[in-house]
Amino acid sequence: MSCRGKVAKKGAVVRPSDVLRSQAIELPSWAFGNSGTRFKVFGRAGVPRDPFEKVADAGQVHRYTGVAPSVALHIPWDRVDDYGRLVVAAKDLGIELGTVNANVFQDDEYMLGSVTNPDAGVRKKALAHLFECVDVMDATGSRDLKLWFSDGTNYPGQDSIRARQDRLGEALAAVYERLGEDQRLILEYKLFEPAFYTMDVPDWGTSYLHCVRLGERAKVCVDTGHHAPGTNIEFIVALLLREQRLGGFDFNSRFYADDDLMVGAADPFQLFRILHEVRLGGGFAADAGVAFMLDQCHNIEPKIPGQIRSVMNVQEATAKALLVDVAALEAAQRAGDVLGANAVLMDAYNTDVRALLADLRAEQGLDPDPMAAYARSGYAERIVAERIGGVQAGWGA
Ligand code: RM4
Ligand code: MN
């Protein structure tokens, strides 16, 4: 849900429909491929065999929700010979190619890290990949380069924490330098996994420090699954928005660690609280530059309906956040009315917004029930029948 809403200044009362009409949620191409756990990747009938088929599936999600107009790429998983063709394929479906995600975590050389590896040769290889991603952005017209590093250490003493930060800073500076004026670097953090002792970018503070050094077009990505249990994510969101450093979200939900489950499934209230802070911080405004992306895997549920459900969950939480009576909230806060302020928030959260969203869809010429409309369309059966042969796309493919 990008930033096309004309929502207003901080704390202003906003008509839900204004934001909801212009909402844009970016889909991850990898959500349409096979995925699994470290124990098993399940193959599913009808799964895309190449990036074009992933884009086609993403197009379906937009077709029925109307609020998912772009799909993020992961390089090299989505490497194609001719990105121009992929752009056109997306356009024909009424969507765009979005954020380019770099992948410096799957080659054998990266066992001890990519850009922070003690071996200069490995660092050079990783940097070359990041440059390739900028070339892809140039070809696709993408605004954002999203960087997530699996780099870190497993054992105390394994490598120098400080030297690894230096190496990271050096690589980021080289990439930032390479970006065009309209392109941004979005640095994602993750508390742990795959490294267990230290991650080189474990938290928003580390990401923020690097971004500040780089320049204004470097921003932080908040992946909602990348925190310690109990972390107050909306607080982080409020701070980053305040500093104009919130580049975007990777939405997903989790019960334990980085579960990558459907956003809004584990904790819809948390999603509401996050989006409430987005609203208060002006994050729905067109010029706020907050990218609203999904980063999920559908291991056991069907993938396209899984994405449709996720998009609807974000929509519902957004609608509820927009229903908060900010004036009443601020009045209660000023008066020190603890229970009153809390009640204003809970009233909005407890409102059933499904009819409102159904009406909005109908008004836009969409079926009020995207899940049912997709199920009726026959697309799921068609891809199962047609996508025979070839190699299914999946985690790492
Ligand atoms: C990471 C991180 C990145 C995603 C990869 C696949 O945990 O969340 O955003 O691109 O997984
Ligand atoms: Mn992520």
Side-chain angles (χ1 to χ4, degrees), residues 69-397:
S70 62
V71 56
L73 302 180
H74 219 297
I75 306 297
W77 302 341
D78 295 320
R79 207 178 253 153
V80 292
D81 293 337
D82 182 352
Y83 288 98
R85 267 189 61 216
L86 200 59
V87 170
V88 170
K91 201 164 165 227
D92 287 347
L93 296 160
I95 61 173
E96 284 177 1
L97 304 180
T99 303
V100 171
N101 291 256
N103 179 326
V104 280
F105 48 85
Q106 283 196 314
D107 291 354
D108 283 340
E109 290 98 321
Y110 298 142
M111 189 173 75
L112 299 181
S114 61
V115 293
T116 68
N117 196 297
D119 181 331
V122 177
R123 297 204 295 274
K124 203 166 154 210
K125 174 187 153 109
L127 194 56
H129 173 74
L130 302 184
F131 288 161
E132 179 198 340
C133 288
V134 180
D135 293 342
V136 173
M137 293 167 74
D138 292 339
T140 54
S142 300
R143 177 189 62 175
D144 291 345
L145 174 66
K146 178 138 61 68
L147 302 179
W148 173 70
F149 297 104
S150 63
D151 299 40
T153 64
N154 272 3
Y155 294 101
Q158 178 191 322
D159 196 5
S160 157
I161 291 173
R162 295 172 58 97
R164 291 178 80 91
Q165 288 301 314
D166 293 344
R167 296 171 202 145
L168 174 65
E170 213 174 284
L172 291 175
V175 175
Y176 191 78
E177 175 79 11
R178 189 84 165 226
L179 292 175
E181 297 253 301
D182 297 328
Q183 295 174 333
R184 314 189 307 171
L185 184 158
I186 311 293
L187 183 57
E188 183 173 350
Y189 58 90
K190 184 175 180 182
L191 175 66
F192 82 98
E193 199 199 26
F196 296 116
Y197 171 55
T198 58
M199 288 290 279
D200 292 321
V201 191
D203 53 25
W204 73 270
T206 310
S207 175
Y208 174 81
L209 288 174
H210 281 283
C211 288
V212 167
R213 279 202 187 193
L214 290 172
E216 274 178 9
R217 285 174 294 106
K219 311 259 180 190
V220 179
C221 170
V222 175
D223 183 314
T224 47
H226 288 188
H227 307 86
T231 299
N232 185 333
I233 299 176
E234 61 269 28
F235 183 84
I236 298 170
V237 168
L239 285 194
L240 289 174
L241 272 170
R242 213 166 164 263
E243 302 300 322
Q244 272 127 45
R245 290 288 173 171
L246 181 64
F249 291 97
D250 269 6
F251 281 127
N252 50 62
S253 68
R254 53 79 71 82
F255 289 98
Y256 298 101
D258 187 23
D259 304 350
D260 279 340
L261 298 174
M262 294 188 296
V263 59
D267 191 347
F269 185 43
Q270 179 188 59
L271 182 60
F272 161 80
R273 298 192 312 262
I274 289 171
L275 291 168
H276 171 61
E277 286 304 330
V278 168
R279 179 195 177 191
L280 293 183
F284 289 128
D287 57 2
V290 179
F292 297 82
M293 292 172 276
L294 305 182
D295 178 12
Q296 307 181 163
C297 291
H298 304 292
N299 296 350
I300 60 169
E301 66 276 25
K303 295 163 198 305
I304 297 171
Q307 287 283 289
I308 293 176
R309 167 58 63 203
S310 306
V311 166
M312 291 171 70
N313 286 350
V314 176
Q315 248 187 329
E316 283 177 22
T318 305
K320 291 180 181 201
L322 294 166
L323 282 178
V324 173
D325 184 340
V326 176
L329 180 69
E330 288 175 350
Q333 290 171 346
R334 274 194 306 273
D337 181 0
V338 175
L339 293 178
N342 181 244
V344 171
L345 214 64
M346 295 314 293
D347 275 349
Y349 178 66
N350 288 320
T351 305
D352 188 345
V353 294
R354 289 174 296 181
L356 178 153
L357 289 168
D359 286 351
L360 201 78
R361 287 182 197 112
E363 200 186 282
Q364 293 173 316
L366 296 168
D367 192 296
D369 184 346
M371 293 291 278
Y374 171 75
R376 270 198 318 270
S377 74
Y379 186 84
E381 293 76 13
R382 206 157 59 241
I383 55 177
V384 168
E386 285 173 4
R387 293 179 182 171
I388 304 290
V391 181
Q392 289 196 318
W395 194 250

